[in-house]
Coordinates of all heavy atoms in Angstrom, one line a residue:
M1 N 53.6 150.0 -44.4 CA 53.9 149.3 -43.1 C 55.3 149.8 -42.7 O 55.5 150.0 -41.5 CB 53.8 147.8 -43.4 CG 54.0 147.0 -42.2 SD 52.5 147.3 -41.2 CE 53.0 146.2 -39.8
K2 N 56.2 149.9 -43.7 CA 57.5 150.4 -43.3 C 57.5 151.8 -42.6 O 58.2 152.1 -41.8 CB 58.5 150.4 -44.4 CG 58.9 149.0 -44.9 CD 59.9 149.0 -45.9 CE 60.3 147.7 -46.6 NZ 61.3 147.6 -47.5
R3 N 56.6 152.5 -43.2 CA 56.6 154.0 -42.7 C 56.1 154.0 -41.3 O 56.5 154.9 -40.4 CB 55.6 154.9 -43.7 CG 56.3 155.2 -45.0 CD 55.3 156.1 -45.8 NE 55.9 156.4 -47.0 CZ 55.4 157.0 -48.0 NH1 54.1 157.5 -47.8 NH2 55.8 157.3 -49.1
I4 N 55.0 153.3 -41.1 CA 54.4 153.2 -39.8 C 55.3 152.7 -38.7 O 55.6 153.2 -37.5 CB 53.1 152.3 -39.8 CG1 52.1 153.0 -40.6 CG2 52.6 152.1 -38.3 CD1 50.8 152.2 -40.8
T5 N 56.1 151.7 -39.1 CA 57.2 151.1 -38.2 C 58.3 152.1 -38.0 O 58.7 152.2 -36.8 CB 57.7 149.7 -38.8 OG1 56.6 148.8 -39.1 CG2 58.7 149.0 -37.9
L6 N 58.7 152.7 -39.0 CA 59.8 153.7 -38.8 C 59.3 154.9 -37.9 O 60.0 155.5 -37.0 CB 60.3 154.2 -40.2 CG 61.5 155.1 -40.2 CD1 62.6 154.3 -39.7 CD2 61.6 155.5 -41.7
A7 N 58.1 155.3 -38.2 CA 57.6 156.4 -37.3 C 57.4 156.0 -35.8 O 57.7 156.8 -35.0 CB 56.2 156.9 -37.8
L8 N 56.9 154.8 -35.6 CA 56.8 154.3 -34.3 C 58.1 154.2 -33.5 O 58.3 154.6 -32.4 CB 56.0 153.1 -34.2 CG 54.5 153.1 -34.5 CD1 54.0 151.7 -34.5 CD2 53.7 153.9 -33.3
A9 N 59.0 153.7 -34.3 CA 60.6 153.6 -33.7 C 61.1 155.0 -33.4 O 61.6 155.2 -32.4 CB 61.4 152.9 -34.7
F10 N 60.8 156.0 -34.3 CA 61.3 157.3 -34.1 C 60.6 158.0 -32.8 O 61.3 158.6 -32.0 CB 60.9 158.3 -35.3 CG 61.4 159.7 -35.2 CD1 62.7 160.0 -35.1 CD2 60.4 160.6 -34.8 CE1 63.1 161.3 -35.0 CE2 60.8 162.0 -34.7 CZ 62.1 162.3 -34.8
V11 N 59.4 157.8 -32.6 CA 58.5 158.3 -31.5 C 59.0 157.6 -30.2 O 59.3 158.3 -29.2 CB 57.1 158.1 -31.7 CG1 56.3 158.4 -30.5 CG2 56.5 158.9 -32.8
A12 N 59.3 156.3 -30.3 CA 59.8 155.6 -29.1 C 61.2 156.1 -28.6 O 61.4 156.4 -27.5 CB 59.8 154.1 -29.4
V13 N 62.1 156.2 -29.6 CA 63.4 156.7 -29.3 C 63.4 158.2 -28.8 O 64.0 158.4 -27.8 CB 64.3 156.6 -30.4 CG1 65.6 157.4 -30.3 CG2 64.6 155.2 -30.8
T14 N 62.5 159.0 -29.3 CA 62.4 160.4 -28.9 C 61.8 160.6 -27.4 O 62.4 161.2 -26.6 CB 61.5 161.2 -29.8 OG1 62.0 161.1 -31.2 CG2 61.4 162.6 -29.4
V15 N 60.8 159.7 -27.2 CA 60.2 159.7 -25.8 C 61.2 159.2 -24.8 O 61.2 159.7 -23.7 CB 58.8 158.9 -25.9 CG1 58.3 158.7 -24.5 CG2 57.8 159.7 -26.7
C16 N 61.8 158.1 -25.0 CA 62.8 157.5 -24.1 C 64.0 158.5 -23.9 O 64.5 158.5 -22.8 CB 63.4 156.2 -24.6 SG 62.2 154.8 -24.5
G17 N 64.2 159.2 -24.9 CA 65.3 160.2 -24.7 C 65.1 161.4 -24.0 O 65.8 162.0 -23.2
L18 N 63.7 161.9 -23.9 CA 63.3 163.0 -23.2 C 62.9 162.6 -21.7 O 62.8 163.6 -21.0 CB 62.0 163.5 -23.9 CG 62.3 164.1 -25.4 CD1 61.1 164.6 -26.0 CD2 63.2 165.3 -25.3
M19 N 62.8 161.5 -21.5 CA 62.3 161.1 -20.0 C 63.5 161.5 -19.1 O 64.7 161.0 -19.4 CB 62.0 159.6 -19.8 CG 60.7 159.4 -20.7 SD 60.2 157.5 -20.7 CE 60.5 157.1 -19.0
P20 N 63.3 162.2 -17.9 CA 64.4 162.4 -17.1 C 65.0 161.2 -16.3 O 64.1 160.4 -16.0 CB 63.8 163.4 -16.1 CG 62.4 163.2 -16.2 CD 62.1 162.7 -17.5
S21 N 66.2 161.1 -16.2 CA 66.7 159.9 -15.4 C 66.8 160.3 -14.0 O 67.0 161.5 -13.6 CB 68.1 159.6 -16.0 OG 68.9 160.6 -15.9
K22 N 66.7 159.3 -13.1 CA 66.6 159.5 -11.7 C 68.0 159.5 -11.1 O 68.3 159.8 -9.9 CB 65.8 158.7 -10.9 CG 64.3 158.8 -11.4 CD 63.4 157.9 -10.7 CE 62.0 157.9 -11.2 NZ 61.0 157.3 -10.5
T23 N 69.1 159.2 -11.8 CA 70.3 159.1 -11.3 C 71.3 160.0 -12.0 O 71.2 160.2 -13.2 CB 71.0 157.6 -11.2 OG1 70.9 157.3 -12.7 CG2 70.2 156.7 -10.4
A24 N 72.2 160.6 -11.3 CA 73.1 161.6 -11.9 C 74.6 160.8 -12.1 O 74.9 160.3 -11.1 CB 73.2 162.8 -11.2
R25 N 75.2 161.1 -13.0 CA 76.4 160.6 -13.2 C 77.6 161.7 -13.5 O 77.2 162.5 -14.1 CB 76.6 159.6 -14.4 CG 75.7 158.3 -14.1 CD 75.7 157.3 -15.2 NE 74.8 156.3 -15.0 CZ 74.2 155.6 -15.9 NH1 74.5 155.9 -17.2 NH2 73.4 154.7 -15.6
A26 N 78.7 161.5 -13.0 CA 79.7 162.5 -13.1 C 81.1 161.7 -13.5 O 81.3 160.6 -13.0 CB 79.9 163.4 -12.0
Q27 N 81.9 162.4 -14.3 CA 83.1 161.8 -14.7 C 84.2 162.2 -13.6 O 84.4 163.3 -13.3 CB 83.6 162.3 -16.1 CG 84.9 161.7 -16.5 CD 85.2 162.3 -17.9 OE1 84.5 163.2 -18.4 NE2 86.4 161.9 -18.4
E28 N 84.9 161.1 -13.3 CA 85.9 161.3 -12.3 C 87.2 161.6 -13.0 O 87.6 161.2 -13.9 CB 86.2 159.9 -11.6 CG 87.2 160.2 -10.3 CD 87.4 158.8 -9.6 OE1 86.5 157.9 -9.8 OE2 88.3 158.7 -8.9
I29 N 87.9 162.7 -12.4 CA 89.2 163.2 -12.9 C 90.3 162.6 -12.2 O 90.4 162.8 -11.0 CB 89.2 164.8 -12.9 CG1 88.0 165.4 -13.7 CG2 90.4 165.3 -13.4 CD1 87.9 166.9 -13.6
L30 N 91.1 162.0 -13.0 CA 92.2 161.3 -12.3 C 93.4 162.1 -12.6 O 93.9 162.4 -13.7 CB 92.6 159.8 -12.9 CG 91.4 158.9 -12.6 CD1 91.5 157.7 -13.4 CD2 91.1 158.7 -11.2
L31 N 94.2 162.7 -11.6 CA 95.4 163.3 -11.7 C 96.6 162.6 -11.3 O 96.6 161.7 -10.4 CB 95.4 164.6 -10.6 CG 94.5 165.8 -11.0 CD1 94.5 166.7 -9.9 CD2 94.8 166.3 -12.3
E32 N 97.5 162.6 -12.1 CA 98.8 162.0 -11.8 C 100.0 162.9 -11.6 O 99.8 164.1 -12.0 CB 99.1 161.0 -13.0 CG 98.1 160.0 -13.4 CD 98.4 159.3 -14.5 OE1 99.3 159.5 -15.3 OE2 97.5 158.3 -14.9
G33 N 101.0 162.5 -11.0 CA 102.1 163.2 -10.7 C 102.3 163.9 -9.4 O 101.4 163.5 -8.5
P34 N 102.9 165.1 -9.4 CA 103.0 165.6 -8.0 C 101.8 166.3 -7.5 O 101.8 166.6 -6.2 CB 104.2 166.6 -8.2 CG 104.2 166.9 -9.7 CD 103.7 165.7 -10.3
L35 N 100.9 166.6 -8.4 CA 99.6 167.4 -7.9 C 98.5 166.4 -7.5 O 97.4 166.8 -7.3 CB 99.2 168.1 -9.0 CG 100.0 169.4 -9.2 CD1 99.5 170.3 -10.4 CD2 100.2 170.2 -8.1
A36 N 98.7 165.1 -7.6 CA 97.7 164.0 -7.2 C 97.3 164.2 -5.8 O 98.2 164.2 -4.9 CB 98.2 162.6 -7.5
G37 N 96.1 164.5 -5.5 CA 95.7 164.5 -4.2 C 95.8 165.9 -3.5 O 95.4 166.2 -2.4
A38 N 96.4 166.8 -4.2 CA 96.6 168.2 -3.7 C 95.3 169.1 -3.8 O 94.5 168.8 -4.7 CB 97.7 168.9 -4.5
P39 N 95.1 169.9 -2.8 CA 93.9 170.8 -2.9 C 93.9 171.7 -4.0 O 95.2 172.0 -4.5 CB 93.9 171.4 -1.6 CG 95.2 171.5 -1.0 CD 95.8 170.2 -1.6
A40 N 92.8 172.3 -4.4 CA 92.8 173.2 -5.5 C 93.5 174.5 -5.2 O 94.2 175.2 -6.1 CB 91.3 173.5 -5.9
V41 N 93.3 175.0 -4.0 CA 93.9 176.4 -3.6 C 94.7 176.0 -2.3 O 94.1 175.4 -1.4 CB 92.9 177.4 -3.3 CG1 93.5 178.7 -2.8 CG2 92.1 177.7 -4.6
R42 N 96.0 176.4 -2.2 CA 96.8 176.2 -1.1 C 97.2 177.4 -0.5 O 97.9 178.2 -1.1 CB 97.9 175.4 -1.5 CG 98.8 174.8 -0.4 CD 99.9 173.9 -0.9 NE 99.2 172.8 -1.4 CZ 100.0 171.7 -1.7 NH1 101.3 171.7 -1.7 NH2 99.4 170.6 -2.3
K43 N 96.9 177.7 0.7 CA 97.3 178.8 1.6 C 97.0 180.1 0.9 O 98.0 181.0 0.7 CB 98.7 178.7 2.0 CG 99.1 177.5 2.8 CD 100.5 177.3 3.3 CE 100.6 176.2 4.0 NZ 102.1 176.0 4.3
L44 N 96.0 180.4 0.3 CA 95.6 181.6 -0.4 C 95.2 182.7 0.5 O 93.8 182.9 0.7 CB 94.7 181.4 -1.6 CG 94.2 182.5 -2.3 CD1 95.4 182.9 -3.2 CD2 93.0 182.2 -3.3
V45 N 96.0 183.5 1.0 CA 95.7 184.6 1.9 C 96.5 185.7 1.3 O 97.7 185.9 1.3 CB 96.2 184.3 3.3 CG1 95.8 185.6 4.2 CG2 95.4 183.1 3.9
Q46 N 95.8 186.8 1.1 CA 96.5 188.0 0.5 C 96.2 189.2 1.4 O 95.1 189.6 1.6 CB 95.9 188.4 -0.9 CG 96.3 187.3 -1.9 CD 95.8 187.8 -3.3 OE1 95.0 188.7 -3.4 NE2 96.1 186.9 -4.3
Y47 N 97.3 189.7 2.0 CA 97.1 190.8 2.9 C 97.4 192.0 2.3 O 98.6 192.1 1.6 CB 98.0 190.6 4.2 CG 97.7 189.5 5.0 CD1 98.4 188.3 5.1 CD2 96.4 189.5 5.8 CE1 98.0 187.2 5.8 CE2 96.1 188.4 6.6 CZ 96.8 187.3 6.5 OH 96.5 186.3 7.3
R48 N 96.7 193.0 2.2 CA 96.9 194.3 1.6 C 97.2 195.4 2.6 O 97.5 196.6 2.2 CB 95.7 194.7 0.9 CG 95.5 193.9 -0.3 CD 94.3 194.2 -1.2 NE 93.2 193.9 -0.4 CZ 91.9 193.8 -0.8 NH1 91.6 194.3 -2.0 NH2 90.9 193.5 -0.2
E49 N 97.4 195.1 3.8 CA 97.6 196.0 4.9 C 99.1 196.6 4.7 O 100.0 195.8 4.6 CB 97.5 195.3 6.3 CG 97.7 196.4 7.5 CD 97.3 195.8 8.7 OE1 96.8 194.6 8.7 OE2 97.6 196.3 9.8
L50 N 99.1 197.9 4.8 CA 100.5 198.6 4.6 C 101.2 198.2 3.3 O 102.3 198.2 3.2 CB 101.4 198.4 5.7 CG 100.9 198.8 7.0 CD1 101.7 198.4 8.3 CD2 100.5 200.3 7.2
R51 N 100.4 198.2 2.2 CA 101.0 197.7 0.9 C 100.8 198.9 0.0 O 99.8 199.6 0.0 CB 100.3 196.5 0.3 CG 100.8 196.3 -1.1 CD 100.1 195.1 -1.7 NE 100.4 193.8 -1.0 CZ 99.9 192.6 -1.3 NH1 99.0 192.6 -2.4 NH2 100.2 191.6 -0.7
F52 N 101.8 199.3 -0.8 CA 101.8 200.3 -1.8 C 101.7 199.7 -3.2 O 102.4 198.7 -3.4 CB 103.1 201.2 -1.7 CG 103.2 202.3 -2.8 CD1 102.5 203.4 -2.5 CD2 104.0 202.1 -3.8 CE1 102.5 204.4 -3.4 CE2 104.1 203.1 -4.7 CZ 103.3 204.3 -4.7
S53 N 100.8 200.1 -4.0 CA 100.7 199.7 -5.3 C 100.7 200.8 -6.4 O 100.2 201.9 -6.1 CB 99.5 198.8 -5.6 OG 98.4 199.6 -5.4
A54 N 101.2 200.5 -7.6 CA 101.3 201.6 -8.6 C 101.0 200.8 -9.9 O 101.3 199.7 -10.1 CB 102.6 202.2 -8.7
G55 N 100.3 201.5 -10.8 CA 99.9 200.7 -12.0 C 99.7 201.8 -13.2 O 99.3 202.9 -12.9
L56 N 100.1 201.6 -14.4 CA 99.9 202.4 -15.5 C 98.5 202.0 -16.2 O 98.0 200.8 -16.1 CB 100.9 202.1 -16.6 CG 102.4 202.5 -16.2 CD1 103.2 202.3 -17.3 CD2 102.2 204.2 -16.0
Q57 N 97.8 203.0 -16.8 CA 96.5 202.9 -17.4 C 96.5 203.4 -18.8 O 97.3 204.5 -19.1 CB 95.3 203.5 -16.7 CG 95.3 203.0 -15.2 CD 94.2 203.7 -14.5 OE1 93.9 204.8 -14.7 NE2 93.7 203.0 -13.5
F58 N 96.0 202.8 -19.7 CA 95.8 203.2 -21.1 C 94.4 203.1 -21.6 O 93.7 202.2 -21.3 CB 96.8 202.4 -22.1 CG 96.6 202.8 -23.5 CD1 97.3 204.1 -23.9 CD2 96.0 202.1 -24.4 CE1 97.2 204.3 -25.3 CE2 95.8 202.5 -25.7 CZ 96.5 203.5 -26.1
A59 N 93.8 204.2 -22.2 CA 92.6 204.2 -22.8 C 92.5 204.8 -24.1 O 93.4 205.6 -24.5 CB 91.6 204.9 -21.8
Y60 N 91.5 204.5 -24.9 CA 91.4 204.9 -26.2 C 89.9 205.1 -26.6 O 89.0 204.2 -26.4 CB 92.0 203.9 -27.2 CG 91.9 204.2 -28.7 CD1 92.8 205.1 -29.2 CD2 91.0 203.6 -29.5 CE1 92.8 205.5 -30.6 CE2 91.0 203.9 -30.9 CZ 91.8 204.9 -31.4 OH 91.8 205.2 -32.7
T61 N 89.6 206.3 -27.1 CA 88.2 206.5 -27.4 C 87.9 206.3 -28.8 O 88.6 206.7 -29.6 CB 87.8 208.1 -27.1 OG1 88.6 208.9 -28.0 CG2 88.1 208.4 -25.7
F62 N 86.9 205.4 -29.1 CA 86.6 205.0 -30.5 C 85.1 205.3 -30.9 O 84.8 205.2 -32.1 CB 86.9 203.5 -30.7 CG 86.2 202.7 -29.9 CD1 84.9 202.2 -30.3 CD2 86.6 202.1 -28.6 CE1 84.2 201.2 -29.5 CE2 86.0 201.4 -27.9 CZ 84.8 200.8 -28.3
P63 N 84.2 205.7 -30.0 CA 83.0 206.0 -30.5 C 82.8 207.3 -31.2 O 81.8 207.5 -31.9 CB 82.1 206.1 -29.2 CG 82.7 205.5 -28.2 CD 84.2 205.6 -28.5
N64 N 83.7 208.2 -31.1 CA 83.6 209.4 -31.8 C 83.8 209.1 -33.3 O 84.6 208.3 -33.7 CB 84.9 210.4 -31.4 CG 84.8 210.6 -29.9 OD1 83.6 210.5 -29.3 ND2 85.8 211.2 -29.4
K65 N 83.3 209.9 -34.2 CA 83.2 209.7 -35.6 C 84.5 210.2 -36.4 O 85.1 209.3 -37.1 CB 82.0 210.4 -36.2 CG 80.8 209.8 -36.0 CD 79.7 210.5 -36.9 CE 78.3 209.7 -36.6 NZ 77.3 210.2 -37.4
Y66 N 85.0 211.3 -36.0 CA 86.1 211.9 -36.8 C 87.4 211.9 -36.0 O 88.4 212.3 -36.4 CB 85.8 213.0 -37.5 CG 84.7 213.0 -38.4 CD1 83.4 213.6 -38.1 CD2 84.7 212.2 -39.5 CE1 82.4 213.3 -39.0 CE2 83.8 212.1 -40.4 CZ 82.6 212.6 -40.1 OH 81.5 212.5 -41.0
M67 N 87.4 211.9 -34.7 CA 88.4 212.2 -33.8 C 88.5 211.2 -32.7 O 87.6 210.8 -32.0 CB 88.2 213.6 -33.1 CG 89.6 214.1 -32.4 SD 89.6 215.8 -31.8 CE 88.1 215.8 -30.8
H68 N 89.8 210.5 -32.5 CA 89.9 209.5 -31.5 C 90.9 210.1 -30.6 O 92.0 210.7 -30.9 CB 90.3 208.2 -32.2 CG 89.4 207.7 -33.2 ND1 88.2 207.2 -32.7 CD2 89.5 207.7 -34.5 CE1 87.5 206.8 -33.8 NE2 88.2 207.1 -34.9
N69 N 90.9 209.8 -29.2 CA 91.8 210.2 -28.2 C 92.5 209.1 -27.6 O 91.8 208.1 -27.3 CB 91.2 211.2 -27.3 CG 90.6 212.4 -27.8 OD1 91.2 213.0 -28.8 ND2 89.4 212.7 -27.4
M70 N 93.8 209.2 -27.4 CA 94.5 208.2 -26.6 C 94.8 208.8 -25.2 O 95.3 210.0 -25.1 CB 95.8 207.8 -27.3 CG 95.6 207.0 -28.5 SD 97.1 206.1 -29.1 CE 97.8 207.6 -30.0
L71 N 94.4 208.1 -24.1 CA 94.6 208.7 -22.8 C 95.6 207.8 -22.0 O 95.5 206.5 -22.1 CB 93.3 208.7 -22.1 CG 92.1 209.4 -22.7 CD1 90.9 209.0 -22.1 CD2 92.4 210.9 -22.8
I72 N 96.6 208.3 -21.3 CA 97.6 207.6 -20.6 C 97.5 208.1 -19.3 O 97.4 209.4 -18.9 CB 99.0 207.8 -21.2 CG1 99.0 207.2 -22.6 CG2 100.1 207.2 -20.4 CD1 100.4 207.6 -23.3
G73 N 97.4 207.2 -18.2 CA 97.3 207.6 -16.9 C 98.1 206.6 -15.9 O 98.7 205.7 -16.4
G74 N 97.9 207.0 -14.6 CA 98.6 206.0 -13.7 C 97.6 206.0 -12.4 O 96.7 206.7 -12.3
R75 N 97.9 204.9 -11.7 CA 97.3 204.8 -10.4 C 98.4 204.5 -9.3 O 99.2 203.7 -9.4 CB 96.4 203.5 -10.5 CG 95.6 203.2 -9.3 CD 94.6 202.0 -9.3 NE 95.5 200.9 -10.0 CZ 96.2 200.0 -9.2 NH1 96.1 200.2 -7.9 NH2 96.8 199.0 -9.8
L76 N 98.2 205.3 -8.1 CA 98.9 205.1 -7.0 C 98.1 204.9 -5.8 O 97.1 205.7 -5.6 CB 99.8 206.4 -6.7 CG 100.9 206.8 -7.8 CD1 101.6 208.1 -7.4 CD2 101.9 205.7 -7.8
E77 N 98.4 203.9 -5.1 CA 97.5 203.5 -4.0 C 98.2 202.9 -2.7 O 99.2 202.3 -3.0 CB 96.5 202.4 -4.5 CG 95.4 202.1 -3.6 CD 94.5 201.1 -4.3 OE1 94.8 199.8 -4.3 OE2 93.5 201.6 -4.7
F78 N 97.9 203.4 -1.6 CA 98.6 202.9 -0.4 C 97.4 202.4 0.5 O 96.5 203.1 0.9 CB 99.3 204.1 0.4 CG 99.8 203.5 1.7 CD1 101.0 202.6 1.6 CD2 99.4 204.0 2.9 CE1 101.6 202.2 2.8 CE2 99.9 203.6 4.0 CZ 101.0 202.7 4.0
N79 N 97.6 201.1 0.9 CA 96.5 200.5 1.7 C 96.9 200.5 3.2 O 97.9 200.0 3.6 CB 96.4 199.0 1.4 CG 95.8 198.7 0.0 OD1 96.3 199.3 -0.9 ND2 94.7 198.0 -0.1
I80 N 96.1 201.3 3.9 CA 96.3 201.6 5.4 C 96.0 200.2 6.1 O 96.7 199.8 6.9 CB 95.5 202.8 5.9 CG1 95.8 204.0 5.1 CG2 95.6 202.9 7.3 CD1 95.0 205.2 5.3
T81 N 94.8 199.7 5.8 CA 94.2 198.4 6.4 C 94.0 197.5 5.3 O 94.3 197.9 4.0 CB 93.1 198.6 7.3 OG1 92.0 199.1 6.4 CG2 93.2 199.5 8.4
D82 N 93.4 196.4 5.6 CA 93.2 195.4 4.5 C 92.0 195.9 3.7 O 91.8 195.5 2.5 CB 92.9 194.0 5.1 CG 93.1 192.9 4.2 OD1 93.9 193.1 3.2 OD2 92.5 191.9 4.5
W83 N 91.1 196.8 4.2 CA 89.9 197.2 3.5 C 89.9 198.7 3.2 O 88.9 199.2 2.6 CB 88.7 196.7 4.3 CG 88.7 197.2 5.7 CD1 89.2 196.7 6.8 CD2 88.1 198.5 6.1 NE1 89.0 197.5 7.9 CE2 88.4 198.6 7.5 CE3 87.5 199.5 5.6 CZ2 88.0 199.7 8.2 CZ3 87.1 200.6 6.2 CH2 87.3 200.6 7.7
L84 N 90.9 199.5 3.6 CA 90.9 200.8 3.4 C 92.1 201.3 2.8 O 93.3 200.9 3.2 CB 90.8 201.6 4.7 CG 90.8 203.1 4.7 CD1 89.5 203.7 4.0 CD2 90.8 203.7 6.2
A85 N 92.0 202.1 1.6 CA 93.2 202.5 0.9 C 93.0 204.0 0.5 O 92.0 204.6 0.5 CB 93.4 201.8 -0.4
I86 N 94.1 204.6 0.4 CA 94.1 206.1 0.0 C 95.0 206.1 -1.4 O 96.0 205.5 -1.7 CB 95.2 206.9 1.0 CG1 94.3 207.0 2.3 CG2 95.2 208.3 0.3 CD1 95.1 207.7 3.3
G87 N 94.2 206.6 -2.4 CA 94.8 206.5 -3.8 C 94.5 207.8 -4.6 O 93.8 208.7 -4.3

C-alpha cells in the first residue's frame, strides 16, 4: 500500500510540474544610488568620419607539428566617411 501511495504521489507531482503555466513572472531589478532610473545606454553615437586609427596585431601558428611561427603586424586605417575607410 505504501508503494502505491508513494508512486501515485510521485506521478501527481511530476504531472503538476510539467503542466505549462499561463502566467509569466519576472524578477524586478532594483537599482540604488546615482544610476537609479538611468537608461542602459546614454548618448551612444560613434562617428568614424575623418578618423585615423592604428593598431598592432600578433599571431601565432600552432597547428604545425614541428615548427611554430610568430607573426607581428599592424593596421593603419583612415575613415573618409562613416562607412568607407582606406587601410
Side-chain angles (χ1 to χ4, degrees):
M1 188 67 179
K2 287 183 182 180
R3 288 184 184 175
I4 294 173
T5 307
L6 189 60
L8 288 175
F10 177 74
V11 169
V13 169
T14 304
V15 168
C16 290
L18 294 177
M19 291 175 46
S21 63
K22 295 183 181 186
T23 59
R25 297 180 185 156
Q27 180 180 0
E28 184 179 347
I29 298 173
L30 300 174
L31 289 176
E32 298 177 1
L35 293 178
V41 177
R42 186 177 293 186
K43 298 179 183 177
L44 181 65
V45 177
Q46 295 180 352
Y47 295 108
R48 289 178 284 192
E49 187 174 350
L50 301 177
R51 180 182 289 183
F52 178 77
S53 63
L56 293 176
Q57 296 176 339
F58 176 75
Y60 181 74
T61 61
F62 61 90
N64 301 339
K65 288 186 178 182
Y66 301 108
M67 184 171 57
H68 303 287
N69 296 323
M70 288 191 281
L71 308 168
I72 299 174
R75 179 182 52 86
L76 298 173
E77 188 174 79
F78 178 72
N79 290 55
I80 299 170
T81 64
D82 201 27
W83 57 272
L84 180 65
I86 296 175

